[in-house]
């Protein structure tokens, strides 16, 4: 939790789990209920962040550590320019990925020390913590079936072992802090997942008064 008037909601999960769809559905739900909010995505969300995103997805020269530094630069710009001002002004921020992606992808899957990632991520995120985090969990097999091969970026082209490690990373992070995390089975109907998210959100943060 942050000592800020706004609330930060984070969506995480492996490729193709549906977190972008769910972030957008939640944004629409807030819009329909006239709840002031901001939807951002990582990596990206700012002009420079989107350029960094493109490098991350396509440059073959990168390794885990250079990914971490690029991701952290994009994160720091996004937090300082958009997320922190929104939280300070009392808005709800929905973030499609956050530093837990670095812990799972660069940590569990690429093998970078978790404590190094935590230290760098906390600095990049300017000590901001989520108020609730949703892990939309699907198996790597389901994840693989959701994209055409020649449209895949550098991460999506990784092996099934890599994606299994990412998923296991997320599950161990989420299971180690059950106060923060809500794990959702992502193989269900999109609208059922959305309703579950609204229910869990209200249960924890009471954002929507019916
Ligand atoms: P994402 O927006 O989920 O991709 P897509 O729109 O194709 O679903 O994320 C882009 C990629 O960046 C994704 O493969 C995961 C990777 N990533 C990391 O490896 N570490 C991070 O900290 C973040 C935020 C993303």
């Amino acid at each position: 939790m942050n000592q800020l008037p706004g609330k930060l909601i984070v969506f995480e999960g492996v490729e193709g789990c549906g977190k972008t769809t769910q972030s957008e559905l939640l944004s629409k739900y807030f819009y329909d209920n006239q709840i002031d909010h901001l939807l951002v995505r990582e990596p990206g969300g700012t002009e420079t962040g989107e350029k960094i995103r493109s490098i991350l997805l396509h440059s073959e020269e990168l390794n885990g550590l250079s990914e971490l530094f690029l991701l952290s630069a994009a994160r720091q710009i996004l937090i300082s320019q958009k997320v922190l001002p929104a939280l300070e002004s009392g808005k709800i921020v929905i973030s499609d990925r956050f530093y837990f992606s670095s812990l799972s992808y660069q940590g569990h899957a690429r093998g970078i020390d978790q404590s190094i990632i935590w230290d760098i991520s906390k600095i990049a995120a300017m000590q901001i913590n989520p108020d609730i985090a949703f892990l939309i969990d699907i198996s790597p097999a389901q994840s693989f079936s959701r994209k055409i091969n020649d449209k895949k970026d550098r991460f999506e082209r990784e092996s099934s072992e890599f994606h299994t490690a990412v998923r296991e990373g997320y599950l161990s992070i989420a299971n180690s802090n059950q106060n923060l995390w809500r794990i959702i089975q992502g193989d269900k109907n999109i609208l059922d997942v959305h309703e579950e998210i609204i229910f869990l959100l209200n249960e924890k943060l009471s954002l929507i008064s019916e």
Side-chain angles (χ1 to χ4, degrees), residues 15-16 19-20 41-43 53 56-57 67 71 75 96-103 105-106 147 153 155-156:
E15 322 292 324
K19 66 188 166 33
T20 302
R41 72 167 178 179
E42 280 204 24
R53 177 188 177 87
L56 275 160
L57 298 189
E67 282 173 10
L71 285 156
R75 182 166 296 135
D96 180 354
R97 295 195 184 276
F98 198 43
Y99 51 57
F100 307 104
S101 290
S102 301
L103 288 163
Y105 282 79
Q106 283 65 46
K147 244 190 181 161
D153 64 42
F155 291 98
E156 291 161 344

Side-chain angles (χ1 to χ4, degrees), residues 10-203:
V10 165
F11 284 94
E12 293 277 7
V14 299
E15 322 292 324
C17 70
K19 66 188 166 33
T20 302
T21 306
Q22 293 301 332
S23 307
E24 287 168 357
L25 277 176
L26 184 60
S27 171
K28 183 177 180 308
Y29 181 84
F30 285 153
Y31 181 82
D32 292 344
N33 284 276
Q34 293 165 4
I35 294 174
D36 211 1
H37 71 283
L38 171 74
L39 170 63
V40 295
R41 72 167 178 179
E42 280 204 24
T46 64
E47 203 184 321
T48 308
E50 291 296 326
K51 289 181 188 159
I52 294 175
R53 177 188 177 87
S54 167
I55 297 171
L56 275 160
L57 298 189
H58 305 294
S59 167
E60 297 299 336
E61 287 179 338
L62 301 180
N63 56 37
L65 201 53
S66 44
E67 282 173 10
L68 176 66
F69 287 126
L70 284 171
L71 285 156
S72 302
R75 182 166 296 135
Q76 202 281 330
I77 298 167
L78 179 66
I79 300 282
S80 59
Q81 275 190 17
K82 298 200 167 168
V83 175
L84 188 55
L87 292 174
E88 282 170 345
S89 73
K91 280 187 189 166
I92 295 172
V93 178
I94 306 168
S95 190
D96 180 354
R97 295 195 184 276
F98 198 43
Y99 51 57
F100 307 104
S101 290
S102 301
L103 288 163
S104 298
Y105 282 79
Q106 283 65 46
H108 282 265
R110 296 260 196 252
I112 296 179
D113 194 292
Q114 297 283 321
S115 65
I116 293 176
I117 300 182
W118 266 120
D119 289 348
I120 292 173
S121 299
K122 288 277 172 190
I123 297 167
M126 303 174 78
Q127 311 299 327
I128 285 176
N129 299 303
D131 294 277
I132 188 166
F134 291 103
L135 170 58
I136 305 187
D137 184 47
I138 59 169
S139 70
Q142 289 166 318
S143 157
F144 265 103
S145 66
R146 293 191 179 174
K147 244 190 181 161
I148 308 161
N149 222 19
D150 62 353
K151 296 252 165 66
K152 288 184 173 174
D153 64 42
R154 220 166 48 81
F155 291 98
E156 291 161 344
R157 286 196 304 271
E158 286 287 350
S159 64
S160 66
E161 288 75 19
F162 178 89
H163 292 284
T164 300
V166 173
R167 182 196 192 193
E168 284 169 359
Y170 275 130
L171 285 169
S172 82
I173 293 167
N175 283 319
S176 70
N177 186 352
Q178 291 176 9
N179 184 38
L180 173 66
W181 286 90
R182 299 292 179 273
I183 302 176
I184 294 179
Q185 301 312 315
D187 55 359
K188 289 182 295 196
N189 174 290
I190 288 174
L191 289 179
D192 288 347
V193 173
H194 174 61
E195 274 177 23
E196 190 177 343
I197 287 167
I198 300 294
F199 174 81
L200 293 169
L201 207 49
N202 267 327
E203 189 183 53

